[in-house]
Amino acid sequence: MTERSENPVFRTPDGSEAQYGLEREAQLPMTGWQQEVDRGLELGLEAAASIRDRSIPTFSRGELPHYAGINTFLKAPYLEDVRRVGEYDVAIVGIPHDSGTTYRPGTRFGPQGIRRISALYTPYNFELGIDLREQISLCDVGDVFTIPANNEKSFDQISKGVAHVFSSGAFPILLGGDHSIGFPTVRGICRHLGDKKVGIIHFDRHVDTQETDLDERMHTCPWFHATNMANAPAKNLVQLGIGGWQVPRQGVKVCRERSTNILTVTDIVERGIDAAVDFALERALDGTDCVWISFDIDCIDAGFVPGTGWPEPGGLLPREALSLLGKIVQKAPVCGIEVVEVSPPYDVSDMTALMATRVICDTMAHLVLSGQLPRREKPAYIHAEANMQVDQAWT
């Protein structure tokens, strides 16, 4: 009989992603995990005497168990005092707004849905060799107080909230909400750019460049109004994944007139991911100082993300979308990201909300890998004084 080795050797191909993941994990600290354990025992009481694992508290105060606890994103600390947001590297902000929806409402529940399923995740990613708990500080500031049935007042609230987080130096990650929030979020960024400029990289199946829809600024309209601002030139708007049977001609006309930049899914697949990334970065970074990423979950094929207001077959595959996103984040000075159009009432087994969670976690990981997080100092493009007059007519 062959003897079994007491110390089996795990073999992976040299230079493989698996080899990197195995080696990288050994280099990651456990400091954040120990702090979480200590905090849980202090605030949640020591466990009952029958519990052998003495790192477990009586009341859940951390990652485990995944089904317990209060649903912040990744169970990050809830920051009730938003005046302290600048003490964190990353701030999660919910935007529960769907009054800009023109057909299937429900995205006001997007932040809740994303936070709920994010409890399924750990802060650690094997392939990337990243442990967010050990490498950045993350907080959840809760939701902006939006005004039901009033887009313009909600937009004002959103712009003020985003401007506050952005100007603090914390990296803003926004949980939408319908895509009408794209305008007020960019407006909030622009208020603290001074004379700097931002490029917009927009993942979507729809161009969202109409001036109005049903006589209002709706979720089909954010980029018409965002690119009216001098800080967000239309020539730096890059739209990835556009196509299908839901692209209004009024919006296409605006794209043509303003010389925005579009790649369809076929363009991306046939040219290749790397070529699409190069195109996006070349156009978005031409004369700008930073990049805002607007990720509409419906850019992914509807078979993978049923829980959205405007599902469209033929979109990007999840691996394609995540690869595009990761390569862009690694190479661009990203100033924030919004993930929009997650609609839990239409979701199946939280698939769409889970995809949104993956987009957010991958973004944070690639920001760490590229050295953009944690921030050692506030980026130079953030201007301390607010300019409340950033709206102007496009020329």
Side-chain angles (χ1 to χ4, degrees), residues 71-79 82 85 88-95 110-112 114-115 118 132 136-144 161-162 165 170-176 337 339 356-357 359-361 363-364:
N71 280 132
T72 59
F73 187 83
L74 284 187
K75 295 191 176 178
Y78 169 54
L79 186 64
V82 296
V85 68
Y88 293 83
D89 296 315
V90 177
I92 302 293
V93 184
I95 314 289
Q112 288 182 6
I114 296 169
R115 287 184 175 112
S118 76
L132 298 174
I136 62 171
S137 58
L138 171 68
C139 71
D140 191 324
V141 301
D143 295 343
V144 170
V162 171
V165 173
F171 184 89
I173 296 180
L174 312 184
L175 316 180
I337 182 172
V339 181
T357 300
V359 166
I360 294 164
C361 290
T363 297
M364 289 190 285

Side-chain angles (χ1 to χ4, degrees), residues 195-338:
D195 61 353
K196 306 297 184 183
K197 291 182 170 58
V198 60
I200 301 167
I201 296 182
H202 167 220
F203 290 76
D204 208 327
R205 292 291 277 150
H206 317 105
V207 290
D208 293 348
T209 48
Q210 294 173 235
E211 181 173 8
T212 60
D213 193 349
L214 306 179
D215 207 41
E216 296 288 342
R217 299 201 282 193
M218 306 295 274
H219 67 161
T220 51
C221 308
W223 309 127
F224 181 97
H225 302 284
T227 59
N228 273 345
M229 294 182 283
N231 299 98
K235 74 182 183 72
N236 301 118
L237 171 62
V238 179
Q239 301 177 281
L240 303 175
I242 305 302
W245 295 91
Q246 301 166 355
V247 183
R249 291 183 61 184
Q250 305 96 303
V252 174
K253 181 173 182 289
V254 171
C255 293
R256 188 169 57 248
E257 291 173 346
R258 297 192 179 187
S259 299
T260 66
N261 309 280
I262 295 175
L263 289 180
T264 68
V265 172
T266 301
D267 289 332
I268 294 168
V269 171
E270 292 187 350
R271 294 166 183 252
I273 297 293
D274 288 335
V277 170
D278 291 342
F279 173 87
L281 294 175
E282 177 188 353
R283 304 303 177 90
L285 291 172
D286 182 15
T288 63
D289 303 273
C290 57
V291 166
W292 176 258
I293 296 177
S294 184
F295 195 101
D296 189 325
I297 206 70
D298 69 33
C299 73
I300 296 172
D301 186 271
F304 298 96
V305 289
T308 186
W310 284 94
E312 172 63 30
L316 295 165
L317 299 178
R319 280 181 299 194
E320 293 168 343
L322 292 173
S323 179
L324 269 171
L325 177 69
K327 290 174 182 289
I328 287 170
V329 172
Q330 288 249 14
K331 297 179 180 180
V334 182
C335 65
I337 182 172
E338 62 192 3

Side-chain angles (χ1 to χ4, degrees), residues 151-152 155-156 158-159 178-191 200 217-218 221-229 292 294 338 390-392:
N151 282 339
E152 298 305 322
F155 291 170
D156 291 344
I158 294 165
S159 292
D178 71 50
H179 217 157
S180 70
I181 72 170
F183 161 59
T185 56
V186 172
R187 183 172 64 178
I189 298 298
C190 289
R191 285 179 180 173
I200 301 167
R217 299 201 282 193
M218 306 295 274
C221 308
W223 309 127
F224 181 97
H225 302 284
T227 59
N228 273 345
M229 294 182 283
W292 176 258
S294 184
E338 62 192 3
V390 293
D391 297 73
Q392 67 177 42

